């Protein structure tokens, strides 16, 4: 009896730890698809979990850093969500590909329009962004999550060096080392995919041709065997008639 009680208590304690750990890590975050290289372009995803058992997430606002503005921000369409992109004037124009950019995106807002994030679910909100700064190791985005019961959670606290993770941390995008040519790398990746597709097509065609040749050979051999059998049958039948 005592052993059973101890085991039960241990199980409950372990479950509590797991629940608390899951809750602590369930915050709005941002991750790139692949890498986010300095000076290049990237596709990033804001992952938004629903932390409530009795409410659904119906709105997400992501504020962009003003110290490293991004001139190009293109959201991917998401069924059931309306997207608003807000731009602001820059105190210091950006130089992108030889052009002066006087405005940059300051905020992107997703509002439920038939869709929502139910309890126990999460949603990803993808963006294509650039040009990423060359003189920074990370970008901090401050996000605001709104539930359908009017509760608002502000993910805006920045991580301090040497300190524990804040209760409501802001999403942080880590930047990797700059590549020689981000656009060239993307183009090369596209060429590699096309080459791989062509190779696969050629291999499929070759395999089909080989299969056809094999089938033809098999049928030819079968025809020869049938022909020989027919001749043998005819010879035997002639002998029987003679006898």
């Amino acid at each position: 009896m005592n052993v059973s009680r101890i085991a039960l208590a241990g199980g409950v304690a372990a479950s509590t730890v797991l629940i608390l750990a899951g809750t602590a890590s369930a915050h709005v975050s941002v991750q790139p698809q692949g890498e986010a290289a300095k000076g290049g372009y990237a596709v990033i995803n804001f992952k938004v979990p629903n932390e409530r058992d009795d409410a659904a997430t119906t709105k997400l606002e992501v504020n962009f850093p003003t110290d490293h503005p991004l001139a190009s921000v293109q959201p991917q369409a998401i069924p059931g969500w309306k997207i608003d992109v807000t731009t602001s004037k820059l105190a210091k124009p950006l130089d992108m590909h030889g052009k002066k950019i006087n405005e940059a995106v300051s905020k992107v807002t997703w509002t439920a329009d038939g869709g929502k994030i139910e309890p126990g679910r999460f949603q990803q909100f993808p963006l294509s962004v650039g040009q990423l700064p060359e003189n920074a190791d990370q970008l901090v985005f401050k996000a605001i999550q709104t539930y359908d019961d009017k509760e608002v959670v502000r993910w805006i606290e920045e991580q301090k060096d040497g300190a524990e993770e804040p209760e409501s941390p802001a999403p942080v995008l880590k930047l990797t080392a700059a590549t020689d040519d981000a656009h060239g790398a993307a183009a090369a990746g596209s060429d590699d995919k096309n080459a791989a597709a062509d190779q696969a097509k050629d291999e499929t065609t070759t395999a089909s041709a080989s299969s056809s040749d094999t089938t033809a050979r098999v049928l030819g051999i079968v025809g020869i065997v049938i022909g020989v059998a027919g001749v043998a049958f005819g010879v035997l039948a002639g002998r029987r008639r003679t006898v």
Side-chain angles (χ1 to χ4, degrees):
M1 179 65 71
N2 291 336
V3 174
S4 300
R5 289 179 179 177
I6 293 173
L8 178 60
V12 171
S15 300
T16 304
V17 170
L18 290 175
I19 292 173
L20 292 177
T23 302
S25 62
H27 52 71
V28 176
S29 60
V30 59
Q31 292 292 334
Q33 291 184 9
E35 291 187 347
K38 298 178 181 180
Y41 291 76
V43 174
I44 61 177
N45 283 319
F46 286 91
K47 182 180 178 181
V48 182
N50 192 328
E51 296 185 306
R52 302 295 177 262
D53 296 330
D54 55 356
T57 297
T58 56
K59 188 177 182 180
L60 173 69
E61 301 173 59
V62 174
N63 294 278
F64 283 67
T66 56
D67 53 344
H68 296 291
L70 300 175
S72 176
V73 176
Q74 297 178 330
Q76 179 178 319
I78 302 176
W81 294 83
K82 184 181 69 172
I83 306 172
D84 293 313
V85 179
T86 304
T87 58
S88 300
K89 290 286 185 180
L90 295 175
K92 182 181 179 181
L94 296 176
D95 188 359
M96 291 184 61
H97 310 299
K99 295 182 179 180
K100 293 294 183 181
I101 307 297
N102 297 312
E103 290 185 339
V105 172
S106 56
K107 183 172 66 174
V108 177
T109 304
W110 291 266
T111 305
D113 186 18
K116 56 185 174 181
I117 308 175
E118 299 282 1
R121 300 288 187 269
F122 75 91
Q123 175 72 51
Q124 294 197 84
F125 298 89
L127 293 171
S128 174
V129 299
Q131 187 173 357
L132 297 174
E134 298 179 353
N135 57 344
D137 295 324
Q138 64 181 28
L139 293 177
V140 179
F141 300 86
K142 295 184 177 182
I144 300 175
Q145 181 179 10
T146 303
Y147 290 87
D148 57 6
D149 62 357
K150 307 304 180 183
E151 180 187 3
V152 175
V153 181
R154 302 179 183 276
W155 304 98
I156 61 174
E157 298 180 58
E158 297 189 34
Q159 177 72 49
K160 302 296 183 181
D161 292 338
E164 295 183 358
E165 183 181 62
E167 184 177 352
S168 301
V172 177
L173 176 67
K174 300 292 185 179
L175 304 182
T176 58
T179 57
D180 293 336
D181 186 354
H183 291 291
S190 178
D191 291 341
D192 291 341
K193 289 180 181 179
N194 292 335
D198 291 340
Q199 182 179 357
K201 182 177 180 181
D202 292 340
E203 291 175 353
T204 301
T205 303
T206 302
S208 298
S210 177
S211 177
S212 299
D213 291 342
T214 302
T215 302
R217 290 176 184 175
V218 171
L219 291 176
I221 293 172
V222 172
I224 292 173
V225 172
I226 293 175
V228 172
V231 172
F233 180 78
V235 171
L236 290 174
R239 287 181 179 178
R240 289 177 179 177
R241 291 174 182 175
T242 304
V243 175

